[in-house]
Amino acid sequence: MAVARHLLWAVCVLRVALATVYFQEEFLDGERWRNRWVQSANDSQFGHFRLSSGKFYGHKEKDKVFLFEGLQTTQNGRFYAISARFKPFSNKGKTLVIQYTVKHEQKMDCGGGYIKVFPADVDQKNLSGKSQYYIMFGPDICGFDIKKVHVILHFKNQYHSNKKPIRCKVDGFTHLYTLILRPDLTYEVRIDGQGIESGSIEYDWNLTSLKKMDKTSAESKDWKQEEEDKLQDWEKHFLDASKPSDWNSELDGEWQAHMLQKPPYQDGLKPEGIDKDVWLHQKMKNTNYLTEYDLSEFENIGAIGLELWQVRSGTIFDNFLITDDEEYAENFGKATWGETKGPEREMDAIQAKEEVKKAREEDEEELLMGKFDGNQNNFRRFHRRDEL
């Protein structure tokens, strides 16, 4: 296991030369994570996080325990708000990959397991549900009805959710969640390295109508301006710009060009025989409106955080990654979650067997104690009869 992990990390190291890693967090330095993550003080009732590997977490190999710790919620019935900052960047023209692991060890009944990506100017100390974010991604569970993966994008001052239902994992094991936004306006959601949903950002977020509405509005303005320009150009084509040679500005006043006789304006008709010097206005076609809007481009990405509610605490968040390289993210997932998923389930199975064994032993002990008490009572009754 250790050799395989080192090989995978070697691949990641080689790949990092090609990839840009904007943020990566594995909590490998103990309590120093508190220097990087800021707990919001917006509400004194916000729940607190601790570093934990959970109740089942790894595998014993040659007497060595592999521990992989993450941020764990600790208080029931609380809102949580915590974030980490990194160097701001824009994903314009680049792929954006957001990835992390989440483990609902407490068997989540109602609460969030999603993350949020924020602008660089987010106020970390006052982070709350009102803080503007760019992207919200991850599982949300509540009762029997809500078991979904949120993918919410901020566009034109509004939040837009993916219209396709994406079901999340509901067991108590660690799962790897990956969101990929590509510059060609396609996306993909992966869970545990497997593609779960994909498609067009434009259509799967119902942004087509907004795009068309803005484009139509822009085109309408452009057409109106173009027609006005044409009419003005037509008028200016027929200005008599030649000032008489004997014109005296002091005696005759300022020269004003007179209109030549012209035909009525017709679209597409061009005046003939007019000297090019009379052309006083150059028609400029307005092409400022966008044919493609920045549906998944964010100019000032600079923070990642957890802002959520949980009825029952115990969720563990780990292996955060933001990069522009899909292959690097895949290798990183294999080197982290990929190395712990099997041992985690093995440890859980071992613990489950031990719990069953312990419960059986306790039942047998209670049964034996019951029989012993019964025998004692019979002995007392028999002894009393002898005394009588």
Side-chain angles (χ1 to χ4, degrees):
M1 177 177 175
V3 174
R5 181 175 174 84
H6 289 154
L7 288 174
L8 284 170
W9 269 119
V11 173
C12 286
V13 170
L14 290 174
R15 187 66 196 178
V16 77
L18 302 175
T20 300
V21 178
Y22 304 108
F23 181 78
Q24 184 171 306
E25 176 66 88
E26 299 175 73
F27 304 102
L28 299 177
D29 56 353
E31 290 300 310
R32 291 191 182 91
W33 70 270
R34 298 183 184 278
N35 298 327
R36 299 185 297 275
W37 291 77
V38 177
Q39 171 81 33
S40 175
N42 180 272
D43 190 329
S44 61
Q45 295 301 309
F46 277 168
H48 292 276
F49 291 88
R50 68 181 177 188
L51 206 60
S52 174
S53 57
K55 297 177 182 178
F56 51 95
Y57 46 79
H59 179 67
K60 287 187 176 181
E61 182 179 296
K62 295 182 180 180
D63 298 325
K64 183 176 181 179
V65 180
F66 293 89
L67 293 176
F68 299 94
E69 296 182 310
L71 290 183
Q72 183 180 45
T73 57
T74 61
Q75 297 166 280
N76 295 337
R78 296 293 181 94
F79 284 99
Y80 291 85
I82 195 170
S83 61
R85 194 180 297 278
F86 46 85
K87 184 178 179 180
F89 72 95
S90 168
N91 70 312
K92 188 171 184 178
K94 301 177 182 178
T95 295
L96 179 63
V97 185
I98 300 169
Q99 183 172 279
Y100 72 109
T101 58
V102 59
K103 175 185 180 183
H104 293 310
E105 189 176 77
Q106 74 279 34
K107 302 291 179 65
M108 176 67 74
D109 50 359
C110 189
Y114 43 80
I115 63 174
K116 291 183 177 181
V117 176
F118 298 94
D121 59 358
V122 65
D123 186 350
Q124 291 181 276
K125 279 291 186 180
N126 287 299
L127 188 70
S128 71
K130 296 181 180 180
S131 299
Q132 179 187 323
Y133 61 87
Y134 284 146
I135 301 169
M136 174 173 155
F137 169 62
D140 192 12
I141 300 172
C142 197
F144 295 100
D145 298 329
I146 302 177
K147 295 179 176 66
K148 65 182 296 185
V149 176
H150 285 293
V151 188
I152 301 176
L153 304 180
H154 186 264
F155 174 66
K156 297 191 74 63
N157 297 318
Q158 294 181 14
Y159 294 111
H160 303 272
S161 298
N162 189 315
K163 65 183 180 182
K164 291 183 177 178
I166 306 175
R167 184 175 175 83
C168 67
K169 299 292 185 179
V170 295
D171 56 48
F173 297 106
T174 301
H175 293 286
L176 179 71
Y177 285 83
T178 308
L179 172 64
I180 304 171
L181 302 176
R182 303 186 180 97
D184 63 355
L185 296 183
T186 62
Y187 76 97
E188 184 176 359
V189 174
R190 298 176 184 173
I191 300 179
D192 297 343
Q194 301 297 315
I196 301 300
E197 192 56 80
S198 62
S200 165
I201 296 174
E202 181 180 351
Y203 293 98
D204 289 356
W205 270 264
N206 284 327
L207 297 176
T208 306
S209 58
L210 286 175
K211 178 179 171 182
K212 286 182 176 179
M213 179 179 65
D214 283 1
K215 183 175 179 180
T216 300
S217 176
E219 288 177 332
S220 177
K221 291 179 181 179
D222 291 338
W223 177 84
K224 184 178 180 181
Q225 183 63 46
E226 185 174 337
E227 291 303 305
E228 290 178 355
D229 290 347
K230 285 181 179 179
L231 185 55
Q232 290 177 12
D233 294 342
W234 189 257
E235 297 288 336
K236 292 172 183 178
H237 261 299
F238 292 92
L239 286 175
D240 182 6
S242 57
K243 184 170 65 173
S245 59
D246 59 348
W247 187 270
N248 190 320
S249 299
E250 294 182 359
L251 299 176
D252 301 325
E254 184 180 354
W255 163 256
Q256 293 184 353
H258 298 286
M259 294 297 296
L260 299 174
Q261 186 176 2
K262 65 181 184 299
Y265 169 72
Q266 298 178 34
D267 189 16
L269 183 63
K270 295 182 179 180
E272 300 294 338
I274 304 298
D275 189 273
K276 64 178 182 181
D277 293 333
V278 179
W279 185 258
L280 304 178
H281 177 79
Q282 181 180 5
K283 182 182 70 174
M284 298 295 293
K285 185 178 180 181
N286 189 344
T287 57
N288 290 331
Y289 69 84
L290 299 176
T291 56
E292 293 289 347
Y293 287 95
D294 300 334
L295 303 182
S296 62
E297 294 179 347
F298 307 99
E299 290 294 334
N300 194 33
I301 303 173
I304 188 171
L306 304 169
E307 190 284 307
L308 43 83
W309 159 267
Q310 289 194 339
V311 172
R312 190 188 304 175
S313 64
T315 300
I316 300 175
F317 300 87
D318 198 1
N319 303 310
F320 295 92
L321 175 69
I322 301 179
T323 181
D324 65 351
D325 192 288
E326 295 181 40
E327 186 176 346
Y328 179 86
E330 183 178 352
N331 290 330
F332 180 74
K334 290 177 180 178
T336 52
W337 171 83
E339 288 296 302
T340 61
K341 62 176 182 176
E344 181 182 77
R345 290 176 181 267
E346 291 174 11
M347 179 174 282
D348 179 62
I350 292 172
Q351 289 182 355
K353 289 181 181 179
E354 291 177 349
E355 289 176 0
V356 170
K357 180 181 178 182
K358 183 178 180 180
R360 185 183 296 117
E361 291 175 349
E362 289 177 350
D363 290 342
E364 291 175 353
E365 184 177 351
E366 289 180 1
L367 182 61
L368 288 174
M369 289 298 295
K371 288 182 178 180
F372 177 77
D373 290 341
N375 291 334
Q376 285 286 90
N377 292 334
N378 289 336
F379 174 78
R380 292 192 187 96
R381 286 196 296 270
F382 180 79
H383 186 67
R384 288 195 188 97
R385 284 200 300 270
D386 288 346
E387 290 179 349
L388 292 174

